Amino acid sequence: MVVQQYRDGGGARAARALAVAGVIAVTAGCVGGGGGGGGSDGSGQRAVAAGRPLDVLGRAAGVLAEAGGAEARTSMETAAGGTRVTIRGEGTYDFRAQMGRLKVVLPTDAAGADDRRPITELLAPGALYMKNRGAGVPDDKWVRIDTTALEDGNLVTGGVTDPMAAAELLRGAADVTYEGKSELAGVTVHHYRGVADLNRAARAASPQSRGALSAAAKGFSKDAVPFDAYLDEEGRLRKVRHRFSFASEGREGQEAAEVTVVSTLLLYGFGAPVTVKLPDEDDIYTGEIRQG
């Protein structure tokens, strides 16, 4: 049941279009959805239930940083021209250090092979590292991508939205409806539905996330990002689904098509230990990466 609706400005702005190749060809792999466990002592109920939705969502990233590490499952579904591709993955993420390690699986029909190994992705502030990337990259080498230089800030390019970036996007919430309580994997959660503004989120983000979100605010054709967020009674984000839209660059003689990417993040196992060791420079591939 809808309890109350809150509005706080926002809007959409035309910007440079992001090519659909950036979702699949650049990353060659990514992530999936799933449930989560974990309990709550209910001590945070007042903070969630009694707070203004805009304030609750604005605090979500900070609450996760206080929680430290968590297990994560992700999915990213891309729809373009009647074709749907879903990329799945799971791993752990440290919200204090804003670093994570995920195993990402590209579906067989998208990868063009049925024996493709999962891609390992390391997430760090301003950078994405990928191993088992394929496309001419040696198996023992990593690819490093500067996420602040990507037109989407790696919100979709890597096939997974960085968990901290997903939470930081909620700082840009401009139009929020509280949908009431529900249950997610045995945990009571509060459901919020709204629209986040990329520019607003970038301005309010932590310094580590600001560069990537600022790039996304310039690169997407729409600033407005619809979302559904589910927070437990301690204010921790348990699930969030974002719907990104952009125009792909059509092939010669074809018109550009509207592409929709639905990115879902589930968090559970709060307090889980997270170990992320970034590759040495000698282990990073600097040669040419095949496209297509």
Side-chain angles (χ1 to χ4, degrees):
M1 180 178 66
V2 175
V3 176
Q4 193 169 0
Q5 189 174 52
Y6 295 77
R7 298 182 183 275
D8 191 20
R13 171 181 56 81
R16 291 180 299 162
L18 178 65
V20 68
V23 182
I24 298 175
V26 171
T27 116
C30 266
V31 195
S40 170
D41 61 7
S43 61
Q45 181 173 1
R46 289 186 298 276
V48 174
R52 293 177 66 246
L54 291 173
D55 295 335
V56 171
L57 295 175
R59 291 194 297 265
V63 172
L64 289 176
E66 292 177 1
E71 297 180 64
R73 293 184 182 177
T74 66
S75 69
M76 185 170 285
E77 182 181 86
T78 304
T83 300
R84 292 181 180 272
V85 174
T86 301
I87 298 167
R88 304 185 181 278
E90 62 181 302
T92 56
Y93 192 89
D94 183 338
F95 287 94
R96 292 195 182 103
Q98 297 193 18
M99 299 177 69
R101 184 183 183 95
L102 299 170
K103 287 287 187 180
V104 174
V105 179
L106 200 67
T108 300
D109 57 349
D114 57 9
D115 60 349
R116 185 175 184 86
R117 289 181 295 168
I119 294 173
T120 300
E121 293 196 5
L122 303 181
L123 306 174
L128 167 66
Y129 298 84
M130 303 167 64
K131 194 172 186 180
N132 296 333
R133 166 67 175 80
V137 179
D139 291 345
D140 62 341
K141 293 293 185 179
W142 293 84
V143 174
R144 183 188 186 280
I145 299 172
D146 179 357
T147 55
T148 65
L150 293 172
E151 289 187 323
D152 72 316
N154 194 38
L155 292 180
V156 300
T157 289
V160 56
T161 303
D162 183 292
M164 192 59 167
E168 298 260 33
L169 269 174
L170 299 178
R171 297 184 190 270
D175 189 345
V176 180
T177 299
Y178 177 59
E179 299 289 333
K181 290 184 181 182
S182 61
E183 188 172 287
L184 179 65
V187 176
T188 297
V189 292
H190 297 261
H191 179 193
Y192 301 90
R193 177 172 293 158
V195 177
D197 181 270
L198 284 167
N199 275 299
R200 184 195 299 266
R203 291 193 300 268
S206 64
Q208 297 95 318
S209 300
R210 192 169 299 143
L213 289 178
S214 295
K218 297 175 182 177
F220 278 97
S221 58
K222 296 181 180 179
D223 281 349
V225 180
F227 68 84
D228 283 270
Y230 302 79
L231 286 76
D232 65 21
E233 296 195 334
E234 295 181 44
R236 298 177 301 194
L237 186 65
R238 290 281 182 160
K239 176 181 178 180
V240 62
R241 178 179 289 116
H242 291 101
R243 288 171 289 281
F244 303 100
S245 297
F246 56 90
S248 69
E249 295 178 359
R251 295 181 179 179
E252 186 175 353
Q254 295 180 339
E255 294 183 358
E258 184 74 4
V259 179
T260 299
V261 179
V262 179
S263 177
T264 304
L265 167 70
L266 294 105
L267 298 171
Y268 56 101
F270 289 98
V274 181
T275 301
V276 179
K277 182 182 183 299
L278 298 182
D280 294 331
E281 288 296 326
D282 291 343
D283 295 326
I284 297 176
Y285 181 70
T286 58
E288 183 178 354
I289 299 176
R290 295 196 305 265
Q291 300 294 332

